[in-house]
Amino acid sequence: MKPMTSKTATTSLSGYNRELIVALAIVALQAIATIFFLIDSIDEIILQISAGIDFAVIAECLIAIALLAGVVLGARHTRKLMAEARRRESALAVARGALAEMLDLRFAEWQLSAGETDVALFAIKGCSVSEIAILRNTAAGTVRSQLSQIYAKAGVTSQSMLISIFIEELL
């Protein structure tokens, strides 16, 4: 049986990359704004040193420093969130692999044929008889017959009971 890779895993990964790019772009934009305000504040202080520095320039400098602190904290927090997302994605990949191995083991134990294995996978994914027939390009009666054989080999009487075997093992 092939590993359980799917379009959703690719979509999830590309969504993760998109979120990473957006987060990095926001932090970069904040950093550029911070540099601009810091340079502007320093320039005004230099211009006003001889005449005396007024409250507006001091407030502008404090705001620029607060913005810098916000950028640094935001960047650190974003980095932590991205690291956590990578850890979770890794754990999910391990779980997918474990489920695929568990399916392989059970299907071998039940001595399912190649066709029964395909039907069992679709059934575990929640597909109806008609959906499985369309996906396998077979008659619905053939799928029903294969499902009956699968249920008998697995010692269950329904699709939900078949699914519950794997859910129980994962829990």
Side-chain angles (χ1 to χ4, degrees), residues 18-32 78:
R18 199 172 315 127
E19 288 177 14
L20 177 61
I21 291 169
V22 168
L24 291 175
I26 290 171
V27 169
L29 184 62
Q30 289 174 333
I32 291 168
T78 300

Side-chain angles (χ1 to χ4, degrees), residues 9-21:
T10 305
T11 304
S12 171
L13 185 59
S14 67
Y16 168 77
N17 288 335
R18 199 172 315 127
E19 288 177 14
L20 177 61
I21 291 169

Side-chain angles (χ1 to χ4, degrees), residues 10-155:
T10 305
T11 304
S12 171
L13 185 59
S14 67
Y16 168 77
N17 288 335
R18 199 172 315 127
E19 288 177 14
L20 177 61
I21 291 169
V22 168
L24 291 175
I26 290 171
V27 169
L29 184 62
Q30 289 174 333
I32 291 168
T34 299
I35 291 168
F36 172 79
F37 285 119
L38 281 173
I39 290 172
D40 186 51
S41 297
I42 292 169
D43 187 44
E44 286 192 38
I45 288 174
I46 292 171
L47 290 175
Q48 291 186 3
I49 284 181
S50 60
I53 301 171
D54 64 0
F55 177 74
V57 173
I58 294 171
E60 189 176 316
C61 285
L62 291 174
I63 291 170
I65 291 169
L67 181 59
L68 176 62
V71 168
V72 169
L73 292 174
R76 288 179 66 198
H77 186 66
T78 300
R79 194 174 109 214
K80 286 179 184 177
L81 289 175
M82 293 302 168
E84 178 63 24
R86 280 190 296 274
R87 279 191 296 275
R88 288 182 181 186
E89 187 66 32
S90 176
L92 184 58
V94 168
R96 281 188 192 116
L99 178 60
E101 287 177 20
M102 186 174 47
L103 289 169
D104 284 340
L105 263 167
R106 290 293 160 249
F107 292 169
E109 179 183 306
W110 298 334
Q111 299 177 345
L112 299 184
S113 69
E116 290 170 342
T117 298
D118 288 345
V119 170
L121 279 173
F122 286 127
I124 291 167
K125 290 179 180 181
C127 296
S128 67
V129 170
S130 59
E131 289 171 331
I132 296 171
I134 291 168
L135 290 168
R136 297 205 63 241
N137 198 23
T138 59
T142 303
V143 172
R144 277 191 210 82
S145 172
Q146 288 174 316
L147 280 172
S148 295
Q149 293 168 2
I150 293 165
Y151 297 160
K153 291 176 181 182

Side-chain angles (χ1 to χ4, degrees), residues 124 156 158-170:
I124 291 167
V156 297
S158 68
Q159 184 175 2
S160 58
M161 288 178 74
L162 180 67
I163 294 168
S164 72
I165 290 173
F166 297 100
I167 292 174
E168 284 179 26
E169 286 192 41
L170 288 174

